[in-house]
Amino acid sequence: MPRGLIVLLAAASAVVAIGGTKIFAGVLGPVFLALMLAVAAQPIQTRMQRRGLPPWLGMIVALVVVYLLLLGLVAALAVSVAQLATALPGYSDQFGDLLDQVRALLADFDIDKERIEHALSGFDLGNAVGVLESLLRGLTGIFSDLVFILALLLFMAFDGMTIGRRTGALATMRPDIARALNAFAAGTRKYLIVSTVFGLIVAVLDGVALWLLAVPFPLLWALLSFITNYIPNIGFVVGLVPPALLALLDGGFTKMIWVIVLYCVFNVVVQSVIQPKFVGDAVGLSVTVTFLSLVFWAWVLGALGALLAIPLTLLAKALLIDIDPSTRWLTLLISDRAPDRPDPEDPGRPDAVDPGPGSGGADPVAKPDG
């Protein structure tokens, strides 16, 4: 089959697969999240089994750890957002004064009054309260997804009791597939560990800074910083905008500038200088691929896709590239690591050729002497 036709068929199949994933995003998103959490918790079960403990005990301990972390995070977010929705209407006077200052500033530039009012007509504190109320109503949907996720985690943890034997058998039958899946699981765990550690560091620094500046709800913004740390490239901006705007309403431009400055100092140093080195060592993806994966998965799965962009890219890489020795050379194009010395025994290396008779390799059809 001509190579161009193969490329066209592959592109058409990719469009169909992506369209189907986008349609079923409401189901596939929670499934992917449960899969990532199960992969992250699997070492707990494995280590307990290696110590001679019953497999069911490792399953229970892993489930308890994941359940407590997930439920605690969701509960803290729900309470904090509810408190914010209750307190935000009290800033109506400050919001009106801020709009008056903006009107006066625009009038100094000789902008027509009707244009000013038309431009500022969409800025209303009531709209922000409405957004928060819709977010609170959406939390009921999150809790329904949470029940689905918790049930999936239970089934995956149950299957995890025998995953060691099954992967061992898979390594014997199909070593390439086993190696690709093991690389995905190891890369996902490393990424989650690195992002969690640096997310906690950033959350503590941001929360303390906001508390010292007397910005309302520092715990909520610290939690937001922790969650957005899993969003590559733009997570820092997403976590900065809400506390900066609230600081503007609470204390004016001076407090907002202090929030922006401190966030930039903490987050740029940690997330843009230190963390990328550890993330790159953990997942082996270039900066360009990381950003494109964020855009792609956020478009396909929404906010959950943005949070899981890196693990989902690692899963796609394992299933589409690493699983086949003939396509493994694509790793060189999407990785930020220098290529290792090629293995002459690896048929997936770029310069691998089929040695024929007379090329120095053994002739597979040659008859033995005598």
Side-chain angles (χ1 to χ4, degrees):
M1 184 179 295
R3 187 175 297 273
L5 182 58
I6 295 176
V7 173
L8 290 177
L9 291 175
S13 302
V15 170
V16 174
I18 293 170
T21 303
K22 188 173 177 62
I23 292 174
F24 293 100
V27 176
L28 294 179
V31 170
F32 287 140
L33 177 58
L35 175 62
M36 302 309 163
L37 293 174
V39 170
Q42 181 58 39
I44 298 177
Q45 295 181 259
T46 303
R47 291 178 181 176
M48 296 190 70
Q49 291 182 26
R50 289 177 179 175
R51 294 180 179 179
L53 298 175
W56 59 266
L57 182 60
M59 179 194 72
I60 293 176
V61 172
L63 280 176
V64 169
V65 171
V66 176
Y67 280 8
L68 289 178
L69 292 177
L70 197 59
L71 292 174
L73 183 61
V74 172
L77 279 175
V79 172
S80 299
V81 172
Q83 292 176 347
L84 178 62
T86 304
L88 198 58
Y91 291 95
S92 57
D93 294 338
Q94 293 89 330
F95 188 79
D97 295 339
L98 180 63
L99 287 182
D100 292 337
Q101 296 177 16
V102 174
R103 290 190 184 96
L105 180 62
L106 294 177
D108 292 339
F109 289 95
D110 296 329
I111 300 177
D112 185 72
K113 184 177 181 180
E114 293 183 0
R115 293 184 178 180
I116 295 175
E117 294 299 329
H118 179 72
L120 298 180
S121 60
F123 293 92
D124 186 7
L125 192 61
N127 294 337
V129 176
V131 170
L132 286 176
E133 290 177 351
S134 63
L135 181 60
L136 286 174
R137 289 193 298 268
L139 285 176
T140 58
I142 293 177
F143 280 114
S144 64
D145 289 340
L146 188 61
V147 173
F148 178 54
I149 293 171
L150 295 179
L152 277 177
L153 281 172
L154 174 62
F155 300 141
M156 291 180 180
F158 185 80
D159 292 335
M161 292 190 297
T162 60
I163 193 66
R165 294 195 299 269
R166 285 182 285 170
T167 53
L170 180 63
T172 302
M173 300 168 59
R174 301 294 296 271
D176 292 327
I177 297 178
R179 179 170 63 176
L181 295 179
N182 287 332
F184 154 71
T188 298
R189 293 188 191 108
K190 291 178 182 178
Y191 169 75
L192 293 177
I193 291 173
V194 170
S195 297
T196 301
V197 170
F198 282 100
L200 289 173
I201 294 174
V202 169
V204 170
L205 292 176
D206 291 342
V208 171
L210 294 175
W211 178 72
L212 293 176
L213 291 173
V215 177
F217 310 107
L219 178 60
L220 171 61
W221 311 130
L223 287 174
L224 184 62
S225 296
F226 173 74
I227 294 173
T228 55
N229 188 66
Y230 292 97
I231 302 177
N233 302 117
I234 65 171
F236 154 62
V237 178
V238 176
L240 167 63
V241 172
L245 293 178
L246 188 59
L248 176 63
L249 293 176
D250 187 70
F253 287 97
T254 302
K255 182 178 286 191
M256 182 187 70
I257 292 174
W258 271 109
V259 170
I260 295 175
V261 170
L262 290 177
Y263 261 65
C264 289
V265 171
F266 296 148
N267 293 267
V268 169
V269 171
V270 175
Q271 293 182 330
S272 300
V273 178
I274 302 175
Q275 183 175 344
K277 181 182 184 306
F278 291 90
V279 173
D281 293 339
V283 302
L285 297 176
S286 66
V287 178
T288 303
V289 172
T290 300
F291 178 73
L292 291 177
S293 67
L294 167 65
V295 175
F296 174 77
W297 290 113
W299 173 70
V300 174
L301 297 178
L304 197 56
L307 290 173
L308 300 176
I310 299 300
L312 288 176
T313 303
L314 292 177
L315 178 60
K317 176 176 174 289
L319 296 178
L320 300 177
I321 297 177
D322 297 340
I323 204 170
D324 188 354
S326 64
T327 59
R328 228 171 267 160
W329 59 271
L330 288 171
T331 304
L332 301 177
L333 302 180
I334 65 175
S335 176
D336 62 345
R337 302 171 182 170
D340 297 329
R341 183 181 181 88
D343 183 2
E345 301 297 331
D346 184 5
R349 63 190 180 92
D351 59 340
V353 295
D354 184 16
S359 61
D363 187 355
V365 297
K367 296 181 180 180
D369 294 339

